[in-house]
Amino acid sequence: MLRPKVPTNPTPALQASPTVAIEPTAVIPSTQAPPPAPVAPAPPRPTVQLTPGTALALVGGGTAVVLVVGAVLVSMLLAVAITGASVAVCALVIRSLVNADAKRR
């Protein structure tokens, strides 16, 4: 009933092509390019010196970043905990309603 029809290929898939002889070519050396001109080295970058004021600012900035990231992570954890507790309370209420309805019948 459901038999696939395999198409027939009127021409063969592999056709033999005539062989072609590959002849080597002669290598002609090119003229040498002049060496590139030397490039002057870039001046060294100035070193950054930390004064007590900048070190204190860096420590203060790092502390602020750690506190902000910590507050965000704690608030996300608290949100997950509150959501889980509310789902548990809803499950208990629904279970008690189903049990109370089953006892009436």
Side-chain angles (χ1 to χ4, degrees):
M1 183 173 139
L2 296 174
R3 294 188 181 193
K5 183 177 179 184
V6 179
T8 57
N9 193 359
T11 59
L14 298 174
Q15 293 181 349
S17 61
T19 58
V20 177
I22 299 174
E23 297 179 11
T25 58
V27 177
I28 301 171
S30 64
T31 59
Q32 293 290 332
V39 178
R45 295 179 59 182
T47 57
V48 177
Q49 295 183 0
L50 291 177
T51 62
T54 56
L56 188 62
L58 286 175
V59 169
T63 304
V65 167
V66 167
L67 289 176
V68 168
V69 169
V72 168
L73 292 177
V74 167
S75 65
M76 290 172 63
L77 180 64
L78 187 61
V80 169
I82 291 173
T83 303
S86 66
V87 168
V89 169
C90 289
L92 288 175
V93 169
I94 291 173
R95 188 174 78 174
S96 68
L97 288 174
V98 168
N99 285 340
D101 190 38
K103 287 181 182 178
R104 284 189 205 169
R105 292 181 182 191

